[in-house]
């Protein structure tokens, strides 16, 4: 048996009680890039069904909080530190709502993806607009030195997105977890150390 086949992560997630095989992608990202710390506040965009929120919940512990946001329904979690917000990430009031209720965010993670239509250029373009919206929200919500993890699909608009990431974060890395299907054009972008107006000016 090929231990890293697609079924392997699906079955492992079922066995461990994770809501999706995507949990293993975030575990690998966290092992490599040390995204989470105990007590942090995390916003999870495109959170349904909830595999990423479950991992973030474990990593930040009971002193931390995870805000799980999706336009699709998310069934209630048994984890007490996860709060569900049923909204579209393009909702213009979303950033104000998060700041009013949860204040400054330590980590923003986005696994947002469109429903795949089969027209790759169209799917790529929608996915990059979701990634750009997540990046806009990271600028509004993250504290200085905050961390951002974002799903992207490789394609013609990818380089422009990476350029924007490099203008926004001091440290930008790309990573394809083993749990991500080989056939998929999906690749994750990790941005560390948000460049704020204050720290940008300090370096000039
Ligand atoms: C690949 S799934 C996320 C899987 C999730 N990370 C997990 O571990 O279970 C992508 C999600 O993005 C959500 N999504 C896509 N567009 C969105 C939007 N405009 N606003 C909010 N959620 C969106 C979809 O509803 C879907 O649930």
């Amino acid at each position: 048996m090929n231990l890293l086949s697609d079924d392997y992560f699906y079955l492992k997630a079922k066995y461990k009680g994770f809501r999706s095989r995507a949990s293993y992608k975030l575990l690998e990202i966290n092992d490599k890039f040390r995204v989470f710390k105990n007590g942090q506040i995390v916003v999870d965009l495109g959170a349904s069904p909830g595999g990423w929120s479950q991992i973030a919940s474990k990593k930040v512990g009971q002193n931390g909080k995870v805000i799980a946001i999706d336009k699709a329904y998310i069934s209630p979690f048994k984890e007490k530190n996860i709060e569900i917000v049923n909204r579209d990430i393009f909702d213009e009031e979303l950033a104000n709502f998060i700041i009013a209720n949860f204040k400054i965010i330590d980590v923003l993670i986005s696994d947002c993806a469109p429903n795949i239509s089969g027209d790759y250029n169209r799917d790529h373009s929608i996915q990059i607009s979701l990634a750009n919206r997540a990046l806009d929200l990271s600028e509004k919500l993250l504290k200085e030195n905050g961390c951002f993890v974002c799903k992207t699909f490789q394609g013609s608009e990818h380089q422009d997105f990476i350029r924007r990431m490099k203008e926004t974060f001091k440290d930008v890395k790309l990573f394809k977890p083993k749990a991500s299907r080989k056939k998929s054009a999906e690749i994750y972008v990790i941005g560390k150390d948000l460049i704020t107006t204050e720290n940008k000016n300090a370096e000039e």
Side-chain angles (χ1 to χ4, degrees):
M1 179 186 169
N2 173 7
L3 283 183
L4 296 181
S5 71
D6 292 344
D7 282 354
Y8 170 75
F9 289 107
Y10 170 79
L11 293 170
K12 196 169 165 184
K14 279 243 167 265
Y15 177 72
K16 291 276 186 183
F18 293 139
R19 292 181 178 196
S20 69
R21 65 197 296 289
S23 293
Y24 287 99
K25 301 179 195 173
L26 189 60
L27 276 171
E28 281 182 70
I29 291 168
N30 189 54
D31 282 351
K32 194 165 170 69
F33 299 100
R34 303 273 159 230
V35 173
F36 302 112
K37 291 195 186 91
N38 192 47
Q40 284 180 324
I41 303 188
V42 178
V43 168
D44 180 9
L45 302 175
S48 181
W52 274 29
S53 290
Q54 288 175 300
I55 298 301
S57 156
K58 270 186 200 295
K59 298 291 174 191
V60 300
Q62 283 314 306
N63 295 327
K65 185 173 266 306
V66 179
I67 301 123
I69 301 175
D70 206 294
K71 63 179 182 179
Y73 175 74
I74 306 176
S75 56
F77 291 92
K78 68 174 178 2
E79 292 85 348
K80 297 269 183 286
N81 63 347
I82 308 179
E83 199 149 323
I84 295 169
V85 176
N86 191 214
R87 287 205 189 193
D88 194 302
I89 66 161
F90 289 101
D91 179 335
E92 285 178 7
E93 281 308 307
L94 184 61
N96 288 340
F97 171 84
I98 293 171
I99 291 164
N101 288 281
F102 307 103
K103 308 210 166 45
I104 304 294
I105 304 304
D106 297 293
V107 180
L108 182 75
I109 55 180
S110 174
D111 198 24
C112 278
N115 288 328
I116 300 302
S117 71
D119 174 344
Y120 188 74
N121 289 335
R122 179 178 181 274
D123 294 341
H124 165 67
S125 200
I126 298 173
Q127 209 290 322
I128 293 291
S129 69
L130 289 163
N132 272 307
R133 172 62 177 156
L135 180 51
D136 291 342
L137 288 168
S138 79
E139 292 180 275
K140 290 188 176 133
L141 299 174
L142 280 179
K143 68 170 200 189
E144 188 180 334
N145 302 330
C147 179
F148 176 49
V149 175
C150 188
K151 184 208 280 292
T152 58
F153 290 169
Q154 296 170 81
S156 58
E157 296 175 46
H158 198 255
Q159 271 315 313
D160 284 343
F161 178 74
I162 299 301
R163 205 166 298 125
R164 241 197 103 196
M165 281 290 295
K166 288 184 174 165
E167 288 164 7
T168 312
F169 292 90
K170 287 186 196 157
D171 181 14
V172 175
K173 297 276 183 337
L174 274 77
F175 181 61
K176 174 113 178 142
K178 290 191 182 68
S180 174
R181 294 176 207 276
K182 284 198 187 66
K183 284 186 294 194
S184 159
E186 156 187 282
I187 189 158
Y188 288 87
V189 186
I190 298 95
K192 281 191 158 181
D193 292 346
L194 179 76
I195 303 169
T196 60
T197 321
E198 288 86 65
N199 64 26
K200 195 185 258 174
N201 291 341
E203 280 175 14
E204 281 169 359

